[in-house]
Amino acid sequence: MRLFIALDIPAEAAAYIADVQKRLKQDVTVDRWQSLANLHLTLHFLGEVDESLVPAICEDMDIVSAIIQPISLRVGSFGVFPNALHPRVLWLGLRGQLSSLKQLHLLLGRRFELHEGLSYDRKRYRPHITLARGPHRSGDELALLDWNERYLAQEPPQWKARHFHLYRSELLPEGAVHTIIHTSTFDKDHSKKQALPE
């Protein structure tokens, strides 16, 4: 099964991000605009996983979530991977309690290391919402600072993440279908469980 772990993006923030993407289309040409249907904030993409590992992944999520408080987040500014001179991915970042978000990502990764045959992304975590792939620049680099002023609200939507999910992703001809397999709630007591092995 193809799996990933992610937080919800609430409807108000998702609508704001979709509106930003819509207005940005007037200003930049890209290879492909990212579909914003079923919008979420990915923590770990696990790829193809043996079904026998799913109970252990769910337990890992519960163990880690027990020591993480709900996380306050809001939509941030524009960014690109790998850099503005050679842009391949255009995204919107996040602001708020990013240290808690990064701690969540790190602790999940440490749990996943315990399971043979389970792969996950070990690169430095940069929380973001992908808007487009292959943006084409005119001039030296993309006008990210200008776009921040023109397209982003002074007070973007903010929310408190109270749980996160394990999703199954099925790639169908009409597009990817994401189904929640398990949900873990932050700061929920899971007795006799520890965040890290002794």
Side-chain angles (χ1 to χ4, degrees), residues 20-75:
V20 169
Q21 185 193 60
K22 179 181 178 181
R23 289 188 288 138
L24 190 62
K25 288 179 179 180
Q26 306 167 23
D27 213 9
V28 63
T29 303
V30 306
D31 291 339
R32 180 167 64 87
W33 289 101
Q34 183 76 12
S35 170
L36 297 182
N38 303 317
L39 194 61
H40 54 262
L41 177 62
T42 301
L43 287 163
H44 280 284
F45 179 74
L46 303 178
E48 289 296 330
V49 176
D50 191 291
E51 193 168 348
S52 65
L53 286 173
V54 170
I57 294 170
C58 295
E59 183 177 25
D60 290 338
M61 291 171 60
D62 286 345
I63 289 171
V64 171
S65 67
I67 64 167
I68 301 288
Q69 299 290 321
I71 303 172
S72 294
L73 297 170
R74 62 188 175 96
V75 180

Side-chain angles (χ1 to χ4, degrees), residues 97-115:
Q97 295 177 316
L98 297 187
S99 58
S100 295
L101 197 60
K102 291 176 180 178
Q103 181 189 33
L104 172 61
H105 175 269
L106 175 66
L107 292 179
L108 286 171
R110 289 184 179 176
R111 294 295 310 181
F112 297 158
E113 287 176 355
L114 304 177
H115 308 304

Side-chain angles (χ1 to χ4, degrees), residues 1-6 34 37-38 40 42 44-49 54 165-182:
M1 8 181 12
R2 190 169 182 264
L3 303 178
F4 66 93
I5 294 173
Q34 183 76 12
N38 303 317
H40 54 262
T42 301
H44 280 284
F45 179 74
L46 303 178
E48 289 296 330
V49 176
V54 170
H165 310 288
L166 175 63
Y167 283 92
R168 179 178 184 176
S169 178
E170 298 175 89
L171 302 179
L172 303 178
E174 59 271 23
V177 175
H178 301 148
T179 305
I180 294 175
I181 293 178
H182 180 73

